[in-house]
Amino acid sequence: MVVSVVLAATRNSYDEILTSLAKPGGGPEFGKYYSLPALSDPRIERLPYSIRILLESAIRNCDEFQVTGKDVEKILDWENSAPKQVEIPFKPARVLLQDFTGVPAVVDLACMRDAMSKLGSDPNKINPLVPVDLVIDHSVQVDVARSENAVKANMELEFHRNKERFGFLKWGSTAFRNMLVVPPGSGIVHQVNLEYLARVVFNNGGILYPDSVVGTDSHTTMIDGLGVAGWGVGGIEAEAAMLGQPMSMVLPGVVGFKLTGKLRNGVTATDLVLTVTQMLRKHGVVGKFVEFYGGGMSELSLADRATIANMSPEYGATMGFFPVDGKTLDYLKLTGRSDDTVSMIESYLRANKMFVDYNQPEAERVYSSYLELNLEEVEPCLSGPKRPHDRVTLKNMKSDWLSCLDNDVGFKGFAVPKESQGKVADFSFHGTPAKIKHGDVVIAAITSCTNTSNPNVMLGAALVAKKACELGLEVKPWIKTSLAPGSGVVKKYLDKSGLQKYLDQLGFHIVGYGCTTCIGNSGELDETVSAAIAENDIVAAAVLSGNRNFEGRVHPLTRANYLASPPLVVAYALAGTVNIDFEKEPVGISKDGKEVYFRDIWPSTEEIAEVVKSSVLPDMFKSTYEAITKGNPMWNELSVSASTLYPWDPSSTYIHEPPYFKDMTMTPPGPRPVNDAYCLLNFGDSITTDHISPAGSIHPDSPAARYLKERGVEKKDFNSYGSRRGNDEIMARGTFANIRLVNKFLKGEVGPKTIHIPSGEKLSVFDAATKYKNEGHDTIILAGAEYGSGSSRDWAAKGPMLQGVKAVIAKSFERIHRSNLAGMGIIPLCFKSGEDADTLGLTGHERFTVHLPANVSDIKPGQDVTVTTDNGKSFTCTLRFDTEVELAYYDNGGILPYVIRKIAEQ
């Protein structure tokens, strides 16, 4: 590729350990690889497998600029350096995007091409440097359920809503090399990644190295179950990785989680993952890797491992990692990877000490801390009603539910008065008399890649449906049931087993292939059900096979939301309530009038295994994924430009060309003076990216709404900020638009307003920022501790930059957000220890000058910087450009201009 040469600074410092890998049985070699054993360093044998992947990446990318020999040594000495919270650069092998986060990334690439063209350079040089896999999956709203035509109907509605966004991504799929776009309707990004996209080992131009991936969704961690190191990052980190830039990360501690024994009959992988989630939340694993090992590993299928890895965000870890072993290789063969590819993967990983062979003695690895679980102790369970780690055993479910009704409002409480707990609300469901009570199930969804990637639990759910149908059980018609597989393979094996018809009979028709209920795409409940819940203040329940159940996420009217295995979802749909003791109370009445209990419909582990063995076949994966990039009729009918440069439509309110490269020249602008800047916002502690970033619905009185109205968009078509992430005009207006924003200028008033200091006017933050820019004034932000904490979000840095913010002065920064500010050319400054705006007597009404050297070569990472004010105050801050790479970004006006100039120079 053209660009790969461009950004390589020097010869690799470790080329002397580049080693040939022979094929088993002779023949041409697979390629060459950077050999860890060739280092002859005894510390490597003690490293966790997950850390070895970081080590190999650092060695392979060591150019003594982006990655240095000192970085390699930090990782080699992990046992001693990890407790010190040292930072290292990491360059992942590829990037995974989904449509909401993929749009701004493709917008930026399109803008970079325009900039290259204006600079007189070839715009075709702009392509992702590493493979980018973009799966359009966050687009299945369950508008239509319990219908044989649900898939087609829901897809038509989604194309109507998102045609412009889909068309833009389709243009990107043909315009850029090294980018694969998987069309809508193909599946959930993480399941498609597991079954098809993951390489496990790359062979890139004859150089072999482990697959690793960062993705713009937190559940990217699902791929850790396949032995591929992967986790979720923000959009700016993903774009940086896409453009061949390193991402900065703290060298993590690794929790060793030993698994022993075997799951008991009837216990599912979902029961296991909810148990593991609770254990790890209690242990405390935020910012750490978790690595699984032990004799119990041989009893877990690859799909079981992926289920556990998927929920890493719920237990708080960066990764839940399962090193590659024989089970991994079996799964690769099952999912259609060629024998030659699997042979290469095994040969490479064995040669480079990254393969686990349980038939051979293993050197003892060192972990930061240890946990152990005997799989035989895992019990059937759910989690809820409001958090994924609040596990409830199935046998205690009824008593726990009754306690939740009693308890004060909180994570485990609804505070329903005793006298109201037995309330029964009568309503008419399309002419049929109906009743609803506290705890009644109104949504039952088999959803989310967490479970739909696992044939054992999916076919287990189908077997529950079969047994129930044969006994004459039915699901109440007002319960919104749905089945949303993560890939087309699921339909193939359900059809092959002959069991899909039983799921259909109970109302679990396939509604689409993508994220649904788990991310809040539940669609509306029937209006008669909604009215009965709202008018009688009923605590209604949803049961779903997802990974998140926070209050308000699944549906506004389901205050109780339980995560459960797909078979349990079916069981609770049949029971119609979570207020049931499955051991003592019947699920329903059979067609011959007999009580049917949970045990009568629950399949054994052996029954499930038999159906899996006969129904899940390699050809299903091959045929599904051979056709996946061919798209579907609606996708194929989208007409898009074939041009190298994107034909921007100035009237579009979804896709807009941002001004990142306006007036750009080949000469870096260098350090920009911040003179007599006004303070745009004056914050205290713990301002999160949720406070900063545009998110959720667009408020009708907001600057973004005003922008849309001026362009003829009606309120009903505002859509969300997420759907309009490709329009910088909307996102800049939505920055700092959070209704919970606390700004000291407002003296206790909460909301998205600030004071324009020269005039004293109270304005929306965007309007004040615009006024400052029009007047020719720079702005800064004052903040307390942990500025930018929370989920990493690209618009938390892009938005302030577009509003004209030149610097943020804070007590401390969240690590990734600080890096993102640097990437967008905003100066991050920290008050000295023991100082802040209050102790220095700063009100925010001053004008601030940041005294930086005029030449970037005179600036050093972490140096002291003097800040003065117009009223005579002077204080010293620490400059939080932490690396020479970040200084290079700043010198160029941000990461994107930096990359453009590097490429255009060639």
Side-chain angles (χ1 to χ4, degrees):
M1 284 180 297
V2 177
V3 185
S4 58
V5 179
V6 171
L7 301 182
T10 59
R11 174 182 175 273
N12 190 300
S13 306
Y14 288 88
D15 277 352
E16 68 273 8
I17 63 168
L18 203 55
T19 305
S20 296
L21 182 67
K23 287 188 176 181
E29 65 181 33
F30 283 123
K32 298 185 184 301
Y33 68 101
Y34 287 90
S35 170
L36 300 187
L39 288 173
S40 301
D41 192 317
R43 293 175 294 182
I44 293 174
E45 286 285 345
R46 291 168 61 81
L47 289 178
Y49 286 97
S50 50
I51 298 299
R52 295 181 198 186
I53 292 174
L54 301 184
L55 175 62
E56 188 281 338
S57 175
I59 288 171
R60 178 168 35 87
N61 292 293
C62 186
D63 61 0
E64 298 301 341
F65 175 61
Q66 292 184 339
V67 183
T68 68
K70 289 180 180 178
D71 297 319
V72 173
E73 175 57 28
K74 286 177 189 175
I75 303 172
L76 272 169
D77 199 37
W78 170 85
E79 203 172 331
N80 297 310
S81 55
K84 299 173 185 174
Q85 294 284 292
V86 299
E87 291 207 13
I88 60 164
F90 176 59
K91 299 183 80 169
R94 63 188 171 97
V95 173
L96 185 69
L97 306 173
Q98 32 78 289
D99 57 343
F100 272 12
T101 50
V103 168
V106 179
V107 164
D108 288 352
L109 285 173
C111 284
M112 291 174 76
R113 281 203 170 170
D114 288 345
M116 286 287 284
S117 180
K118 290 170 186 173
L119 290 171
S121 191
D122 181 5
N124 285 305
K125 288 182 179 179
I126 296 291
N127 290 287
L129 268 161
V130 300
V132 174
D133 300 319
L134 195 162
V135 182
I136 304 177
D137 77 334
H138 271 53
S139 54
V140 182
Q141 183 84 11
V142 187
D143 294 296
V144 180
R146 299 189 76 142
S147 163
E148 292 179 3
N149 300 315
V151 174
K152 185 173 184 290
N154 288 322
M155 181 72 79
E156 286 173 349
L157 286 165
E158 285 309 317
F159 264 81
H160 174 72
R161 292 185 185 117
N162 300 296
K163 184 176 180 180
E164 193 174 345
R165 198 168 82 239
F166 290 170
F168 176 67
L169 293 175
K170 187 176 181 182
W171 169 81
S173 71
T174 57
F176 296 105
R177 296 191 306 274
N178 227 12
M179 177 183 286
L180 171 69
V181 175
V182 178
S186 304
I188 302 174
V189 58
H190 307 306
Q191 188 164 343
V192 174
N193 192 22
L194 186 75
E195 295 175 353
Y196 174 63
L197 298 172
R199 282 70 153 182
V200 186
V201 171
F202 269 90
N203 185 342
N204 188 357
I207 300 295
L208 306 175
Y209 51 93
D211 188 3
S212 58
V213 61
V214 292
T216 51
D217 184 90
S218 58
H219 293 101
T220 300
T221 54
M222 186 173 191
I223 205 62
D224 303 338
L226 195 66
V228 174
W231 58 87
V233 296
I236 290 175
E237 298 98 300
E239 287 188 40
M242 201 165 73
L243 297 167
Q245 300 303 294
M247 49 180 286
S248 178
M249 62 182 289
V250 171
L251 184 61
V254 183
V255 178
F257 200 126
K258 186 176 183 179
L259 298 172
T260 61
K262 181 179 180 180
L263 291 175
R264 288 181 290 129
N265 184 36
V267 176
T268 69
T270 317
D271 302 322
L272 171 59
V273 72
L274 296 178
T275 303
V276 166
T277 298
Q278 187 182 48
M279 289 177 68
L280 287 169
R281 287 286 296 203
K282 185 176 180 182
H283 186 75
V285 293
V286 172
K288 297 184 175 72
F289 290 175
V290 177
E291 186 166 295
F292 294 88
Y293 70 103
M297 293 281 280
S298 61
E299 300 296 334
L300 292 181
S301 71
L302 195 289
D304 292 343
R305 299 174 185 189
T307 298
I308 296 169
N310 179 285
M311 285 192 71
S312 295
E314 282 65 50
Y315 45 80
T318 302
M319 280 206 302
F321 188 73
F322 291 81
V324 174
D325 61 10
K327 291 268 184 156
T328 318
L329 302 180
D330 291 342
Y331 181 81
L332 292 172
K333 292 173 184 174
L334 171 68
T335 50
R337 274 77 164 194
S338 72
D339 290 343
D340 194 52
T341 298
V342 175
S343 175
M344 178 198 72
I345 290 168
E346 181 177 7
S347 299
Y348 168 78
L349 294 174
R350 282 185 182 275
N352 224 10
K353 301 290 185 183
M354 295 180 180
F355 187 88
V356 181
D357 190 335
Y358 293 104
N359 297 317
Q360 295 180 0
E362 280 277 308
E364 184 177 342
R365 294 180 302 286
V366 174
Y367 293 109
S368 309
S369 60
Y370 297 82
L371 279 174
E372 184 171 344
L373 173 64
N374 183 341
L375 298 177
E376 293 176 10
E377 296 173 359
V378 177
E379 297 182 67
C381 58
L382 303 87
S383 278
K386 301 180 185 182
R387 296 189 301 186
H389 54 281
D390 288 334
R391 187 177 67 97
V392 187
T393 59
L394 189 63
K395 65 185 180 186
N396 292 326
M397 183 62 187
K398 184 181 177 87
S399 59
D400 189 83
W401 168 253
L402 294 174
S403 296
C404 287
L405 290 180
D406 283 334
N407 295 341
D408 291 341
V409 173
F411 293 124
K412 294 287 288 185
F414 298 104
V416 177
K418 280 282 187 188
E419 63 273 15
S420 302
Q421 290 180 12
K423 177 198 282 188
V424 178
D426 294 303
F427 68 102
S428 175
F429 181 78
H430 301 283
T432 303
K435 300 176 185 295
I436 191 168
K437 307 184 296 296
H438 294 302
D440 277 7
V441 174
V442 294
I443 292 176
I446 300 174
T447 179
S448 172
C449 50
T450 309
N451 284 290
T452 68
S453 59
N454 193 323
N456 290 67
V457 292
M458 295 300 285
L459 287 165
L463 285 169
V464 171
K466 177 177 184 286
K467 291 171 183 281
C469 289
E470 289 173 345
L471 289 166
L473 301 187
E474 295 178 347
V475 174
K476 294 182 179 72
W478 53 84
I479 297 177
K480 190 166 189 176
T481 45
S482 61
L483 166 59
S487 85
V489 176
V490 178
K491 175 171 171 51
K492 283 185 168 68
Y493 66 65
L494 284 171
D495 286 344
K496 169 74 174 171
S497 69
L499 297 173
Q500 178 67 56
K501 62 184 179 184
Y502 300 109
L503 288 165
D504 289 347
Q505 193 172 325
L506 296 183
F508 286 95
H509 297 85
I510 294 178
V511 295
Y513 300 90
C515 292
T516 56
T517 311
C518 191
I519 61 160
N521 280 359
S522 306
E524 294 302 321
L525 296 175
D526 186 272
E527 59 184 17
T528 63
V529 178
S530 298
I533 294 170
E535 291 167 9
N536 295 281
D537 199 21
I538 296 293
V539 182
V543 184
L544 62 151
S545 64
N547 47 45
R548 293 196 172 163
N549 57 338
F550 304 119
E551 192 168 18
R553 179 183 178 94
V554 173
H555 192 282
L557 292 175
T558 58
R559 286 153 65 189
N561 301 282
Y562 286 93
L563 305 182
S565 67
L568 274 180
V569 171
V570 178
Y572 275 102
L574 289 162
T577 181
V578 296
N579 185 16
I580 184 173
D581 183 339
F582 276 145
E583 289 187 7
K584 299 175 183 175
E585 299 175 66
V587 175
I589 305 298
S590 71
K591 55 191 173 188
D592 55 7
K594 294 181 180 177
E595 292 183 336
V596 177
Y597 287 84
F598 179 79
R599 56 185 173 269
D600 300 323
I601 59 172
W602 198 253
S604 69
T605 301
E606 290 73 22
E607 283 179 89
I608 295 171
E610 278 181 32
V611 180
V612 170
K613 186 176 180 180
S614 62
S615 305
V616 184
L617 306 173
D619 283 349
M620 295 176 177
F621 293 89
K622 285 181 182 175
S623 61
T624 297
Y625 288 113
E626 280 171 0
I628 195 168
T629 54
K630 295 177 183 175
N632 54 63
M634 282 179 273
W635 173 262
N636 294 335
E637 287 167 10
L638 285 175
S639 177
V640 298
S641 168
S643 63
T644 294
L645 302 179
Y646 184 70
W648 304 98
D649 177 0
S651 66
S652 172
T653 57
Y654 278 95
I655 307 295
H656 184 266
E657 182 180 11
Y660 301 146
F661 312 114
K662 188 178 179 183
D663 303 324
M664 179 181 168
T665 68
M666 280 299 294
T667 304
R672 275 80 64 211
V674 181
N675 293 326
D676 285 334
Y678 283 101
C679 180
L680 178 64
L681 292 154
N682 187 0
F683 291 133
D685 295 342
S686 301
I687 292 296
T688 71
T689 51
D690 282 338
H691 291 114
I692 307 169
S693 296
S697 59
I698 296 173
H699 194 278
D701 295 329
S702 67
R706 189 169 70 235
Y707 174 88
L708 289 170
K709 288 174 192 171
E710 288 168 356
R711 282 150 186 82
V713 179
E714 296 181 33
K715 181 177 179 295
K716 66 180 178 61
D717 295 320
F718 279 2
N719 218 325
S720 65
Y721 282 112
S723 69
R724 295 185 182 273
R725 288 171 68 106
N727 188 315
D728 61 286
E729 295 279 6
I730 297 286
M731 300 304 278
R733 286 164 171 76
T735 300
F736 297 116
N738 189 299
I739 60 171
R740 300 295 175 206
L741 198 68
V742 178
N743 175 8
K744 292 180 182 178
F745 285 153
L746 300 185
K747 303 185 184 306
E749 182 184 339
V750 176
K753 302 280 187 181
T754 195
I755 301 299
H756 176 254
I757 303 298
S759 65
E761 289 180 87
K762 183 166 72 173
L763 301 169
S764 73
V765 177
F766 175 80
D767 288 343
T770 302
K771 196 173 177 69
Y772 281 125
K773 283 205 292 184
N774 291 341
E775 293 166 349
H777 299 309
D778 290 341
T779 55
I780 59 110
I781 289 172
L782 292 176
E786 299 176 344
Y787 181 77
S789 56
S791 299
S792 172
R793 290 191 170 90
D794 53 341
W795 280 103
K798 286 180 176 178
M801 184 274 287
L802 289 171
Q803 288 186 352
V805 173
K806 304 300 182 187
V808 178
I809 310 174
K811 285 178 71 175
S812 63
F813 292 91
E814 190 277 332
R815 183 181 60 82
I816 294 176
H817 183 64
R818 182 209 59 78
S819 176
N820 286 350
L821 290 174
M824 295 312 297
I826 295 175
I827 305 169
L829 295 166
C830 272
F831 291 109
K832 287 296 183 179
S833 179
E835 294 183 348
D836 59 20
D838 292 338
T839 64
L840 293 169
L842 302 173
T843 65
H845 287 76
E846 304 87 352
R847 298 183 72 173
F848 297 81
T849 297
V850 179
H851 296 272
L852 270 180
N855 194 313
V856 75
S857 61
D858 297 325
I859 304 175
K860 303 300 176 191
Q863 74 172 56
D864 284 352
V865 172
T866 300
V867 180
T868 57
T869 66
D870 62 333
N871 61 353
K873 291 185 184 294
S874 176
F875 56 98
T876 303
C877 291
T878 302
L879 178 66
R880 289 301 311 277
F881 291 133
D882 290 356
T883 65
E884 294 290 345
V885 175
E886 289 181 348
L887 278 175
Y889 295 162
Y890 175 62
D891 184 46
N892 279 269
I895 184 173
L896 301 181
Y898 167 82
V899 172
I900 288 176
R901 290 189 179 97
K902 287 295 181 186
I903 295 172
E905 285 169 1
Q906 302 300 308

